[in-house]
Amino acid sequence: MAYTSANQLELLQTAEAVAREKNIEPGLVVEAMEESLARAAKSRYGAEMDIRVSIDRKTGRATFTRVRTVVEDEELENYQAEFTVEQAKQYMENPEVGQQFIEEVPPVELGRIAAQSAKQVILQKVREAERDKQYEEFKDKAGTIINALVKREEYGNVIVDVGAGEAVLRRNEKIGREAYRPNDRIRCYIKDVRREQRGPQIFLSRTAPEFMAELFKMEVPEIYEGIIEIKAVARDPGSRAKIAVISYDGSIDPVGACVGMRGSRVQAVVNELQGEKIDIIPWNEDMPTFLVNALQPAEVSKVVLDEEAGKIEVVVPEEQLSLAIGRRGQNVRLASQLTGLDIDIMTEEEESKRRQAEFELRTKLFMETLDLDEFFAQLLVSEGFTNLEEVAYVEIDELLVIEGVDEDTAAELQARARDYLEEQAKKAMEAARALGVEDSLANFEGLTPQMLEALGKDGVKTLEDFATCADWELAGGWTTVDGERVKDDGVLEPFDVSLEEAQDLIMTARVMLGWVDPADLEAAAAEAEAAEAETEEAEA
């Protein structure tokens, strides 16, 4: 039976008109009409019924059908849309569970309320189709720059027209105190595109480091062509920025190319960023060299890198200190963001005092533990010995180079160091046992008595406790909170256990307990090696 409350072709004509207006597929509008008619039919025949509507895409004929599904006796819940095998026999031959019985039902005339409901369904479907189209259009544009037209401002956030919809430039993504009026044209970086309940949300930014990188790519053809690469960007939006670049063509100066003739290229970027001063720095694989470049215009006397801790110490002359730190710490903060390292800046005088303090501390350690006079202890420190383990277990030849030390003296020194270490280990093991450390952990290879004592104090007393630890809980690490690097202290950090060593210890414990299959570990290691080899090959 046909749907007769309107000209049959009128449905298709309406669908096409709406589709053209909203620039979406006509089929989506027809589907919305089918759903709206089905709802209207349910309001007449009963909400429990499974009523479906199909509109012929050529003639506009709407067919209303009722669907009933065959279910098991005990699963029968909805008598209007389901029936048992026995009940279905009067309508079907040899019915089976899961089969459907479809029968055509008379069409419904749309009353005023039903028509209004149908309209709402169609509008909702059209809106959803528009949102899907907008999301599909912009999801691949994240990470690019877009020119937009300002529509309005809401609570400091700028709503802009991006053609197929709206996007938002949040207050904290604007540079300084930027203010915009309706119909102003602005250039923004598409930071994120998310599909949310109220539709796709396009988030823009003018403060993101990537915005500056994309601007340089637009101004510098060598970057666009891949001859020059931007390795890192750090920004204090609206004030100052540092950008590290490298050239893959020996004949092209990366800094000069980015500056341009009489500074034309960099000036174009500066103008777009409201006068933000930009330091263009040559990137270098050698981190200390790169850091010296990053701290420009300050001069650096010395750099000490601790890669494991992600820290770097920089020594500068007294008169260069304020320049290296910058106004409100800006210069060192940007250099830290650029290198990804925590930077400590000190003057030559401060470094000298610290080195003297370390020298005195180690001298005192050797005097007290090895029963040496001050002069002899100072000789040990001067030769580079920093702890008792080095004295106790170093090759005896390394002790013989110290002035006045013969084989007997060297042997006596090592014996004293070993006796002291053994005594300390004995005390630490007794303390660990007193804390409740069990044999399963005490007998685990790789942990010293002092480590066991530290673990016991932290509540780690069994091999199971140890296996549930995270690597950073043992070795410590750094996390970034609100843009600031925060130190996480590790239980075994005082014993110089690295993150990789902590990972190995934890995985070994998990294998011993049967929590992890060694074959899986080998497969994961092989995959990691293969991925690393591919990366190196691609870089080459």
Side-chain angles (χ1 to χ4, degrees):
M1 294 180 70
Y3 171 63
T4 57
S5 67
N7 181 352
Q8 293 176 353
L9 287 172
E10 192 178 328
L11 287 173
L12 295 181
Q13 290 166 354
T14 304
E16 286 173 8
V18 172
R20 273 198 307 273
E21 182 187 340
K22 301 295 184 180
N23 194 24
I24 58 176
E25 286 292 322
L28 294 171
V29 184
V30 175
E31 285 174 16
M33 288 177 169
E34 289 173 340
E35 188 177 325
S36 63
L37 290 172
R39 282 197 185 185
K42 281 185 180 183
S43 67
R44 173 178 166 182
Y45 288 115
E48 296 296 317
M49 285 194 184
D50 184 359
I51 302 290
R52 302 178 191 180
V53 178
S54 174
I55 297 175
D56 190 296
R57 299 305 195 264
K58 291 181 179 177
T59 65
R61 181 179 185 274
T63 305
F64 290 69
T65 54
R66 178 188 181 187
V67 178
R68 279 183 281 184
T69 306
V70 181
V71 297
E72 300 280 2
D73 291 6
E74 61 273 12
E75 291 179 4
L76 183 63
E77 292 179 357
N78 183 354
Y79 292 91
Q80 299 291 348
E82 299 170 343
F83 50 17
T84 63
V85 173
E86 197 60 40
Q87 292 168 341
K89 283 179 179 178
Q90 57 184 307
Y91 303 102
M92 306 165 67
E93 286 185 23
N94 303 319
E96 294 179 6
V97 172
Q99 282 186 324
Q100 291 183 331
F101 176 69
I102 301 171
E103 60 180 332
E104 199 169 325
V105 295
V108 297
E109 296 289 336
L110 289 183
R112 186 175 60 83
I113 295 174
Q116 195 66 26
S117 172
K119 183 181 176 183
Q120 291 300 321
V121 171
I122 293 170
L123 287 174
Q124 178 64 26
K125 282 286 183 182
V126 168
R127 275 196 293 269
E128 286 175 9
E130 282 183 301
R131 287 169 180 171
D132 286 343
K133 185 174 181 296
Q134 186 182 343
Y135 177 76
E136 290 300 321
E137 182 178 336
F138 282 94
K139 69 176 182 180
D140 296 326
K141 290 185 179 179
T144 62
I145 287 178
I146 190 170
N147 289 305
L149 195 68
V150 175
K151 291 184 76 173
R152 62 188 183 279
E153 193 165 346
E154 295 177 355
Y155 308 107
N157 301 325
V158 179
I159 309 301
V160 300
D161 186 347
V162 290
E166 292 182 348
V168 60
L169 176 65
R170 287 177 172 166
R171 185 182 348 187
N172 61 335
E173 298 290 351
K174 294 193 293 184
I175 298 173
R177 296 182 179 179
E178 283 183 329
Y180 297 105
R181 289 174 297 187
N183 297 322
D184 281 354
R185 295 205 73 84
I186 60 170
R187 197 184 281 181
C188 299
Y189 176 78
I190 302 177
K191 193 173 183 180
D192 193 15
V193 181
R194 293 202 295 264
R195 194 197 289 271
E196 295 188 356
Q197 209 165 13
R198 54 182 177 169
Q201 299 296 298
I202 303 167
F203 297 100
L204 307 177
S205 175
R206 285 175 55 79
T207 61
E210 296 87 354
F211 181 46
M212 176 182 285
E214 288 297 313
L215 287 173
F216 268 103
K217 191 184 289 185
M218 293 169 72
E219 296 294 336
V220 184
E222 292 87 347
I223 294 176
Y224 182 79
E225 291 164 8
I227 299 168
I228 293 173
E229 184 185 355
I230 297 171
K231 299 293 282 187
V233 181
R235 290 181 65 191
D236 193 347
S239 177
R240 194 173 201 92
K242 291 180 184 285
I243 179 168
V245 291
I246 186 172
S247 172
Y248 295 113
D249 184 336
S251 63
I252 295 177
D253 169 28
V255 175
C258 291
V259 171
M261 187 73 72
R262 296 180 184 175
S264 58
R265 291 174 174 177
V266 71
Q267 194 56 49
V269 177
V270 168
N271 292 341
E272 179 63 47
L273 299 177
Q274 306 292 322
E276 193 171 313
K277 294 180 179 65
I278 303 172
D279 297 332
I280 302 172
I281 295 155
W283 188 81
N284 198 299
E285 278 188 10
D286 181 56
M287 191 55 72
T289 305
F290 179 38
L291 182 65
V292 170
N293 295 340
L295 281 170
Q296 291 175 1
E299 295 175 10
V300 176
S301 306
K302 183 179 173 185
V303 173
V304 181
L305 174 65
D306 183 351
E307 286 186 272
E308 211 169 88
K311 289 183 69 175
I312 199 160
E313 290 178 352
V314 177
V315 181
V316 297
E318 184 73 43
E319 67 275 9
Q320 293 284 317
L321 182 63
S322 59
L323 192 60
I325 293 173
R327 185 165 56 92
R328 296 178 184 172
Q330 187 184 65
N331 195 51
V332 69
R333 185 171 67 251
L334 290 174
S336 180
Q337 289 175 22
L338 203 67
T339 57
L341 295 169
D342 195 40
I343 301 172
D344 287 338
I345 292 187
M346 62 182 72
T347 62
E348 291 170 344
E349 185 183 346
E350 287 171 338
E351 197 229 0
S352 176
K353 285 180 181 176
R354 196 196 65 177
R355 288 173 66 84
Q356 184 61 35
E358 285 178 359
F359 187 87
E360 290 173 2
L361 193 66
R362 288 169 184 165
T363 299
K364 188 179 178 183
L365 169 71
F366 291 142
M367 287 171 65
E368 291 176 354
T369 57
L370 301 179
D371 192 22
L372 302 176
D373 59 33
E374 186 177 8
F375 177 73
F376 207 112
Q378 286 176 346
L379 279 178
L380 276 177
V381 179
S382 299
E383 286 296 327
F385 289 94
T386 60
N387 55 52
L388 288 175
E389 284 80 1
E390 289 177 0
V391 177
Y393 302 111
V394 79
E395 291 293 329
I396 201 163
D397 290 347
E398 294 192 36
L399 288 169
L400 294 176
V401 299
I402 301 172
E403 189 180 344
V405 174
D406 56 22
E407 286 193 13
D408 291 339
T409 309
E412 176 62 23
L413 273 175
Q414 289 198 317
R416 289 184 188 181
R418 287 170 182 167
D419 287 345
Y420 184 84
L421 289 172
E422 285 170 12
E423 182 62 29
Q424 293 301 109
K426 184 180 175 184
K427 288 179 181 178
M429 183 56 82
E430 288 172 358
R433 292 294 191 186
L435 287 165
V437 172
E438 296 181 8
D439 287 345
S440 61
L441 187 60
N443 296 330
F444 181 65
E445 192 176 342
L447 297 177
T448 66
Q450 287 86 347
M451 290 179 183
L452 292 169
E453 183 182 4
L455 289 167
K457 286 178 180 176
D458 201 56
V460 180
K461 300 176 182 180
T462 65
L463 193 60
E464 286 82 356
D465 294 340
F466 186 77
T468 57
C469 290
D471 50 14
W472 61 267
E473 289 178 305
L474 299 181
W478 294 82
T479 52
T480 302
V481 180
D482 297 330
E484 295 291 324
R485 282 171 65 79
V486 179
K487 182 72 177 70
D488 293 317
D489 293 325
V491 184
L492 302 183
E493 194 172 354
F495 308 100
D496 294 327
V497 173
S498 69
L499 208 59
E500 290 75 17
E501 288 168 339
Q503 288 170 355
D504 288 342
L505 287 169
I506 291 166
M507 292 312 294
T508 301
R510 290 174 182 174
V511 168
M512 287 176 67
L513 291 165
W515 296 358
V516 175
D517 187 342
D520 293 341
L521 285 181
E522 288 173 14
E527 280 179 23
E529 279 180 25
E532 193 176 331
E534 278 180 24
T535 306
E536 287 175 2
E537 208 173 291
E539 288 175 353

